[in-house]
Amino acid sequence: MTSIFDQHLPRNEANFAPITPLAFLQRTAEVYPGKLAIVHGPVRRTWAQTYERCRRLASALSRHGIGKGQTVAVMLPNTPPMVEAHFGVPMAGAVLNSLNTRLDAETIAFMLDHGEARAVIVDPEFTGVMDKALALRQRQEPLLVIDVEDEVWTGRHDRIGSLTYEELLAGGDPAFAWQMPGDEWDAIALNYTSGTTGNPKGVVYHHRGAAVNAISNILEWDMGKHPVYLWTLPMFHCNGWCFPWTIAARAGVNVCLRKVEAQAMADAIREHGVTHYCGAPIVHGLLVNAPDAMKAGLPRGVKAMVAGAAPPASMIEGMERMGFDLTHVYGLTEVYGPATACAQHDEWNALDIGERARLNARQGVRYHLQRDAQVLDPQTMQPVPWDGETMGEIMFRGNITMKGYLKNEKATQEAFAGGWFHTGDLAVQYPDGYIKIKDRSKDIIISGGENISSIEVEDVLYRHPAVLAAAVVAKPDAKWGETPCAFVEVKPGAQVTPADIVAHCKQHLAGFKVPRAVVFGELPKTSTGKIQKFELRKQAGSATAIDV
Amino acid sequence: MTSIFDQHLPRNEANFAPITPLAFLQRTAEVYPGKLAIVHGPVRRTWAQTYERCRRLASALSRHGIGKGQTVAVMLPNTPPMVEAHFGVPMAGAVLNSLNTRLDAETIAFMLDHGEARAVIVDPEFTGVMDKALALRQRQEPLLVIDVEDEVWTGRHDRIGSLTYEELLAGGDPAFAWQMPGDEWDAIALNYTSGTTGNPKGVVYHHRGAAVNAISNILEWDMGKHPVYLWTLPMFHCNGWCFPWTIAARAGVNVCLRKVEAQAMADAIREHGVTHYCGAPIVHGLLVNAPDAMKAGLPRGVKAMVAGAAPPASMIEGMERMGFDLTHVYGLTEVYGPATACAQHDEWNALDIGERARLNARQGVRYHLQRDAQVLDPQTMQPVPWDGETMGEIMFRGNITMKGYLKNEKATQEAFAGGWFHTGDLAVQYPDGYIKIKDRSKDIIISGGENISSIEVEDVLYRHPAVLAAAVVAKPDAKWGETPCAFVEVKPGAQVTPADIVAHCKQHLAGFKVPRAVVFGELPKTSTGKIQKFELRKQAGSATAIDV
């Protein structure tokens, strides 16, 4: 029998509204119209102005025939049009496809084709590669190309499109009666994974997940109203971990930054009173390793979020000296950016730096509004024992998980097999429930039948005082199958030999885990600062082994 | 044609989970098991312990055959069982009906019948009235009656049930595999309104709304992790404005309080480092008007939320002297408690106290995650001009709005007519969009934070044999905010005194609803015979109060 609580109590317009981050912008523009929303070089815009520009953008796209379920691609650095695209595109009902600005023309052409983009907005820095991509594109449908003009950009402004971004906005209605999404399950964004093998996969985000993750960011950081957020994390990366929507929800300031450099970061933090920023370890390393003079006058209490790799002890110490508060998070494109956080405990403050670093290096616990994050045995789908030793695969379920992969039913079903999203990351779970990654399944090194976690070896390498960055990959070996090969970027001025590195590793690692080859040089990195292990794997084959 | 973003991208267990505040408890118990959750007299319990007790409660209810869509009533002050009921009852799939502990036996019997309660948990303070209510109950179905034993209660512990609360919990499984709700639209709570006409209406809350409002509380207050929350607001009022769920989400401390008194509040704030509390103006007045000695050593920066009536300038000043931060919110049972907040602006700090009080007296703007709050013309359903003068009715829409009224399809449809929830409160909207209530169309009297229906009191007056006509309006009161003032037209030749009237009312009404002043005379009426309450309100101020 139906419960009395299910009789004559349906959803209706009064008591149900699709959850969407677009509502954040609308409320902030109404409640805090005069508050600063955007800083970009000499540009200052309030939330009322930003909302008006987003409405113009939505209106203009509509007038160009672009609407529900259609794709608008953007190739933009962290500039105002990129912030506006996060609202104006979905306010037209369309789906935002933020292209990684470091990609080559061929890959971009693939994405424009696969995502069926109807328009693309291009920064002057990327007109060259985009022009090539447009030529390589295979779809016949018309594509509206829009050129951004940016006074902060000091290079050329080549025109490759039919109109400029400001011309587009001028043709839009500042009072456009845009519509909230009809369904919170509607797509809001399309983000291609880097795709180390085969073609990139198009990860589809929905309004519900974008809003829920944006709020989880607030909860994780205890973020009060009116934060000042420095855009060191590319917005093309998981929509900047959903922070464009977070900052709108908090009526904060978006401090734009075309290029991430230590001087520019320090200047922005001082000048605008930055309170929060995110990035890969390399981003934080820029500040930690900057000369003291450059860091003079930096405010204390700035909150920093780090992901992409565990922050080494030296970085945690460096951040503490600056008085910055570092939160370690972990995620993937498929889970909207961060989906676990290494939630800290008061008791940790009493521990020594080594122990604090060890605890903080863990990926931690599920993000606030994610339903679950667990390490499961991928065969049985049962949780591994919380012993800090038994390996399994990190899996997620809940609202901060993608709709799936665009036009790739097979990959979607595989990713969600058994009712969990499979990350491909191998990990253990400690007795306190904290997850610690041991390796990407593809990064694990198998030597003489023994599994070697490349991350474990890298952690040891990072403890050597001369090491700035390190990565360990498998080197094919006739006898052992594979052996660890270390690639090391040395700190400026430091003197160190391969033998020194090996000796250091022998002190801290079982013999079979010690690298058999050590290569010095700059490490290849992605646009987000992640080390490109697939490049190193190519080099590892020809690296000279050392007798250990 | 279906968009590519709607093809083969369905909801599944991996990427969709019903939104529910029960997830907050689970996460906090897992991430912060050792953090303090409950303070009650000498009782201290962690989140791990609280979670275990909630699982026991859910398990025990299940074992007693109580489950999905069935009602569990509670008649409890702000004690640990009340916090636990907010989780344990819905963890069994059941619906929590928190009874107003100030109500009379007749009204409670009505609620137990109408809500079809299957169990009721009773505090020793209320066994007397509950015993009478159980005798008045008309339904024949069995009702499990559970007696709470509370060492903080200094009065009698009469047993009226078949087992005690601790016995109930002892029979539950501490590792009970409870289920998240199958649908976020499932009911979580049932809260009866005071009922301006006829019987009280049963407002049904769902999991989605409860979670969304609990998070909005965090956003409004910029509430960081681990707040210390003092329970001055009754949890039977709109589930304590959803704060039991908010505090769980933030891994905070619930400081319980059986009775709201200045000394007890000041002691608790000092002793436990209280950071947040809520209440009607009378609650804040207790502290503001307390002797300085009692307030000595109170920490500064405590955040207080006030609703029920606008805080007068003297209260704002008093709170400022104490260094407390006051936020004015507004709402109704139908919108889960607060649904607008008078969001403050930095610029206001420069204004004088009179102007600040005037701005803060406004009901403000929609709560963070409520979709909309507007003043509409109830005839045309169009927004009134934002001129601070044109009156309309405050209306809400969005996820922080009830499912509807239980077993009252007509009232539900009326409340949601035109796709908005009609509050019945008349208001204007200022040029900055802030809403300000001008009048209450239903003549509700708010006394000590409790709603009193003038019509209910009038109905009782009309039952007195000497009464020809009667009208009840609010009389301003320094302590209670308002008290009921009765205007009575006596039948020709009848002999009756104010004391007779009060005695009659005491027989049929809860104590706080009994008029504090009775005025005899002819009632002012319109040409159509309608009593002109606005005339009576003018007179009520000077009416002589009676010691009731």
Side-chain angles (χ1 to χ4, degrees), chain A residues 92-107:
Chain A
V95 178
L96 176 66
N97 175 214
S98 303
L99 300 165
N100 184 325
T101 59
R102 304 293 173 87
L103 292 175
D104 55 291
E106 217 166 280
T107 308

Side-chain angles (χ1 to χ4, degrees), chain A residues 19 24 211-212 214-216 218-219 250 368-369, chain B residues 19-21 24 207-223 241-243 245-247 249-250 367-369 400:
Chain A
I19 294 172
F24 304 163
V212 167
I215 292 167
S216 289
I218 296 171
L219 298 179
R250 295 276 70 185
H368 283 265
L369 300 178
Chain B
I19 293 172
T20 166
F24 303 164
H207 284 258
R208 176 180 168 106
V212 167
N213 199 38
I215 292 167
S216 289
N217 285 334
I218 296 171
L219 297 178
E220 181 50 47
W221 244 345
D222 296 352
M223 185 188 260
W241 302 354
C242 301
F243 273 98
W245 300 311
T246 296
I247 302 308
R250 296 276 71 187
Y367 226 42
H368 283 265
L369 300 178
I400 314 182

Side-chain angles (χ1 to χ4, degrees), chain A residues 182-265:
Chain A
D183 189 320
E184 62 200 37
W185 196 250
D186 285 351
I188 188 169
L190 169 65
N191 292 304
Y192 284 92
T193 60
S194 49
T196 49
T197 54
N199 281 324
K201 293 200 286 276
V203 174
V204 181
Y205 289 2
H206 48 71
H207 284 258
R208 176 179 166 108
V212 167
N213 199 38
I215 292 167
S216 289
N217 285 335
I218 296 171
L219 298 179
E220 181 50 48
W221 244 344
D222 296 352
M223 186 189 259
K225 297 181 195 77
H226 315 312
V228 181
Y229 185 84
L230 180 63
W231 274 109
T232 39
L233 177 79
M235 274 182 255
F236 63 69
H237 189 65
C238 313
N239 296 110
W241 302 353
C242 299
F243 273 98
W245 300 311
T246 296
I247 301 308
R250 295 276 70 185
V253 183
N254 292 282
V255 179
C256 296
L257 201 62
R258 284 195 71 95
K259 197 160 185 222
V260 178
E261 293 166 321
Q263 183 72 57
M265 284 176 68

Side-chain angles (χ1 to χ4, degrees), chain A residues 5 9 14 17-18 27 30-31 35 184-185 208 219-220 222 225 250 345 366 371 398-399 403, chain B residues 5 9 14 17-18 27 30-31 35 184-185 208 219-220 222 225 250 345-346 366 371 398-399 403:
Chain A
F5 294 101
L9 296 170
R27 181 182 189 275
E30 284 176 20
V31 178
K35 277 273 177 196
E184 62 200 37
W185 196 250
R208 176 179 166 108
L219 298 179
E220 181 50 48
D222 296 352
K225 297 181 195 77
R250 295 276 70 185
H345 291 257
R366 66 182 178 277
R371 173 58 58 84
N399 296 307
K403 276 182 89 152
Chain B
F5 294 101
L9 296 169
R27 182 183 189 276
E30 284 177 19
V31 178
K35 277 272 178 196
E184 63 200 38
W185 195 251
R208 176 180 168 106
L219 297 178
E220 181 50 47
D222 296 352
K225 295 180 198 79
R250 296 276 71 187
H345 291 257
D346 301 340
R366 67 181 177 279
R371 173 58 59 86
N399 297 307
K403 275 182 92 153

Side-chain angles (χ1 to χ4, degrees), chain B residues 251-398:
Chain B
V253 183
N254 292 279
V255 180
C256 295
L257 203 62
R258 284 196 69 95
K259 198 159 185 221
V260 177
E261 293 167 322
Q263 183 73 57
M265 284 175 69
D267 288 347
I269 293 172
R270 274 186 296 258
E271 187 180 344
H272 308 298
V274 166
T275 56
H276 297 79
Y277 73 95
C278 300
I282 191 170
V283 171
H284 305 285
L286 285 175
L287 271 188
V288 167
N289 299 319
D292 285 344
M294 196 184 281
K295 290 187 278 193
L298 284 181
R300 298 181 72 82
V302 174
K303 291 191 170 193
M305 218 177 248
V306 60
S314 60
M315 174 174 298
I316 292 175
E317 273 190 308
M319 295 290 275
E320 284 177 357
R321 272 198 303 276
M322 289 160 55
F324 281 26
D325 175 22
L326 191 67
T327 300
H328 178 208
V329 298
Y330 154 79
L332 304 87
T333 303
E334 288 86 342
V335 287
Y336 295 74
T340 71
C342 190
Q344 297 182 34
H345 291 257
D346 301 340
E347 309 86 79
W348 295 3
N349 296 330
L351 304 173
D352 66 39
I353 178 67
E355 186 65 6
R356 278 210 309 286
R358 192 188 68 74
L359 292 170
N360 266 310
R362 300 180 301 171
Q363 279 63 36
V365 295
R366 67 181 177 279
Y367 226 42
H368 283 265
L369 300 178
Q370 180 69 308
R371 173 58 59 86
D372 217 343
Q374 287 195 34
V375 178
L376 303 182
D377 180 318
Q379 256 68 54
T380 64
M381 294 302 282
Q382 291 303 304
V384 299
W386 289 9
D387 57 10
E389 291 189 358
T390 310
M391 284 232 266
E393 185 176 353
I394 302 177
M395 304 211 193
F396 288 102
R397 68 185 347 171

